[in-house]
Amino acid sequence: MNPPPPESTSLRALLTPERWREIGRIIIVSLLTLLYWRGLLPQPVLYGAIALGLYPLVKTGLRDLIHERKIGTEIFVTVATTIAMIGGEYVAGAVLMTIILIAEFIADLNTDRARASIKALVGSVPQTALIRTNGQERSVPLTELKIGDIVLVRAGEKIPVDGTVTGGQGAVNEASITGESLPQEKVVDGSVLAGTVVESGALDIRTDKLGKDTMFARIIALVEGAEELQAPVQKLADKVAAWLIPAVFVFLLGVYLVTHDLRKIVTLLIFTSPAELGLATPLVMIAAIARAARAGILVKGGIYLELLAKADVMVFDKTGTLTVGQPVVVGIYPDAAYVSEEELLKLAAASDRRSGHPLAKAVVTRAQEMGLSVSEPTAFEMVQGRGVKATVDGKSVLVGNAEFLSENSIAIPVLSYSPTGTTIYVAVDGAPVGTLDLADQIRPGAKEAIGRLKATGVKQVIMLTGDNSKIAQRVGTELGIDEVKAGLLPEDKVNAIVALQQAGHSVAMIGDGVNDAPALARAQVGIAMGARGTQAALEAADVALMTDDLAKIVFARALARRAYRTIQENLYVGVGVVHVLGITAALLGWIGPVQAAMIHLGPDILVFLNSVKLLRVRIEA
């Protein structure tokens, strides 16, 4: 769990000069209304107080009406206050307007506070940096830093740039970016990110990226822009509000024609305002996006939260997503008549040590892990798509695939085991002496994550991969995948997703954000794994995970479903039930305008509290 938002999101920080003017206006209007009610001021003064209070409402209402073609609470309150004045309900009209001013002030302040929490949850970057030039250390503003400058960061300080460690070592808390609570050890050549904290040690960092180019800045830009992409339920609420307004006026006209009671019309105007419809969704989305950012999950808009909540098919890429993406030696099978296991591995590793191929690196790594002494080859040749030829301790060694042996007139041995991945053959002086079995390892927690996703209502989990069918089926069976499609090109993955969509499914695609970019873009929701250092991944996906932790997909899904449920609660309970009860009470004459205005605060507060709880409440993933 990360620390609570810092002081920047406190009430004091949000009380700008404009906010203080609003507070002053409310106090003046309230005081003048009270004095008039006590008979201490003449009626013209009350007219002035009402005009002072109505000014910001009329201004905002007309602006929304002209520029956005939207009738909001401001117009409703203006009409209600005017009708109250016409009907001689002077105090009721003034009190109604004052209470609505207070409600609007609280709602706006709380919305701004929720927005401000986004930056606070992600963190902040220091505005100065300690740099070393010509052996001298000096503090400079961040705006004066240049690419290549060496920045010094000590324990307890935040890193101001994206860069590479050139000296020192330390433990860095990257929770503000990745959501991981455990500090990461950083040594020379390690990468660090702006906004993270050096918890212990000290680092010399070469500046690689500055300002808006840092990962931190891109995260802030993405999260701040997320609010602009409305969820379908939010668009629906706006549409409902648009057609509800004329229906309300027709309803009120009908009530007046029957009752001829202006006081009742004012009361009904308060409860038929569509204001809470506009508040019910945005606050939830802001809170959910901020909560996701705190966990190292970047959601680019409320629309993707809703689509993720509704997804009934999850499609995974295999390599680098469900698997680690790095092959390892899982089996060593020597021909006992020629070599032992250790001798076979030493020969293969010595031949492969000059190769940069992932399979060759895996062989060398396994030899190092076993503490074997690996010789330097005296001759080395790499054959593209086949393997390597090398001379090791005076022996001619071939390490590669079956085709490589055939092309060198070497008999391919019959395997005594069932391969789990890629088979590498080793031959010495023209004779096969053994094989190595290499496979990509399943990512830790993958099986558990898939099981938990199914428990959240995902009907089908599918794996799409370019790998061969045998390997893909093994991984799919081990993980409990419902359907495996192997040997696919990028366009084949897109076609598979289109087929699912045409069958009526809502599809979420999870991949690496680069190789799977077309499929990510085609799915209803594209989720990129491990976007920590990849700008392409941030741009390709709708949701980006800053680490390769599959549990974060489960958390994102659970958060999205919780957010969608909270919106429904806001609409049905916070708006629907309260307003229906209020309209009923008004029609029966149980309450008047003043009581209605006070009750009207209830849905605003209820919707706000229900929405912002997403910042703190436990999400059952």
Side-chain angles (χ1 to χ4, degrees), residues 209 212-215 218 222 300 513-514 528 530-541 544 546:
K209 293 180 180 179
K212 61 181 178 59
D213 295 325
T214 63
M215 176 63 69
R218 296 204 301 270
L222 285 173
K300 292 187 179 179
V514 180
R532 177 185 183 276
T534 312
Q535 184 168 2
L538 284 174
E539 294 172 351
M546 303 309 292

Side-chain angles (χ1 to χ4, degrees), residues 170-194:
V172 178
N173 187 331
E174 298 182 332
S176 60
I177 303 293
T178 66
E180 297 296 326
S181 58
L182 293 177
Q184 304 295 309
E185 291 296 326
K186 300 294 180 180
V187 295
V188 173
D189 292 332
S191 66
V192 293
L193 299 174

Side-chain angles (χ1 to χ4, degrees), residues 296-298 300 320-321 509-514 516-517 520 525-532 534-549 552-553:
I297 303 167
L298 304 184
K300 292 187 179 179
T321 303
M509 168 74 190
I510 301 96
D512 62 11
V514 180
D516 299 309
L520 290 172
V525 186
I527 304 174
M529 292 274 291
R532 177 185 183 276
T534 312
Q535 184 168 2
L538 284 174
E539 294 172 351
D542 307 314
V543 178
L545 310 183
M546 303 309 292
T547 63
D548 289 322
D549 185 1
K552 290 191 182 297
I553 296 174

Side-chain angles (χ1 to χ4, degrees), residues 481-523:
I481 303 289
D482 298 313
E483 184 178 354
V484 174
K485 295 184 179 181
L488 303 180
L489 296 172
E491 56 265 32
D492 297 327
K493 294 183 180 181
V494 172
N495 292 337
I497 288 174
V498 170
L500 287 167
Q501 292 169 331
Q502 289 176 343
H505 294 292
S506 180
V507 182
M509 168 74 190
I510 301 96
D512 62 11
V514 180
N515 298 328
D516 299 309
L520 290 172
R522 189 64 184 86

Side-chain angles (χ1 to χ4, degrees), residues 80 176 249 387 447 480 506 581:
S176 60
F249 282 125
K447 186 173 183 178
S506 180
L581 292 176

Side-chain angles (χ1 to χ4, degrees), residues 44-210:
V45 175
L46 180 65
Y47 293 157
I50 292 175
L52 178 66
L54 282 179
Y55 170 74
L57 298 175
V58 173
K59 181 181 176 182
T60 303
L62 289 177
R63 185 181 64 234
D64 290 347
L65 186 62
I66 294 170
H67 297 292
E68 301 181 25
R69 301 290 190 271
K70 182 177 74 174
I71 299 178
T73 306
E74 294 81 6
I75 295 294
F76 262 74
V77 173
T78 302
V79 172
T81 304
T82 303
I83 292 175
M85 300 296 287
I86 294 172
E89 296 282 347
Y90 301 116
V91 174
V95 171
L96 159 65
M97 179 193 64
T98 303
I99 291 176
I100 297 302
L101 280 173
I102 295 171
E104 291 286 293
F105 176 80
I106 293 172
D108 289 345
L109 190 67
N110 286 331
T111 301
D112 287 347
R113 192 169 188 175
R115 289 193 181 104
S117 69
I118 291 175
K119 279 189 179 180
L121 289 170
V122 176
S124 60
V125 172
Q127 296 306 303
T128 60
L130 183 66
I131 66 170
R132 179 184 292 134
T133 54
N134 300 321
Q136 300 293 319
E137 297 179 5
R138 60 191 180 94
S139 181
V140 299
L142 209 59
T143 53
E144 294 183 13
L145 276 180
K146 302 184 296 296
I147 301 298
D149 282 347
I150 302 299
V151 176
L152 282 63
V153 186
R154 301 186 178 95
E157 297 177 348
K158 284 189 177 181
I159 298 173
V161 298
D162 284 3
T164 304
V165 177
T166 60
Q169 63 180 29
V172 178
N173 187 331
E174 298 182 332
S176 60
I177 303 293
T178 66
E180 297 296 326
S181 58
L182 293 177
Q184 304 295 309
E185 291 296 326
K186 300 294 180 180
V187 295
V188 173
D189 292 332
S191 66
V192 293
L193 299 174
T196 58
V197 180
V198 177
E199 289 200 346
S200 63
L203 301 174
D204 294 353
I205 301 166
R206 184 185 68 241
T207 302
D208 295 334
K209 293 180 180 179
L210 283 166

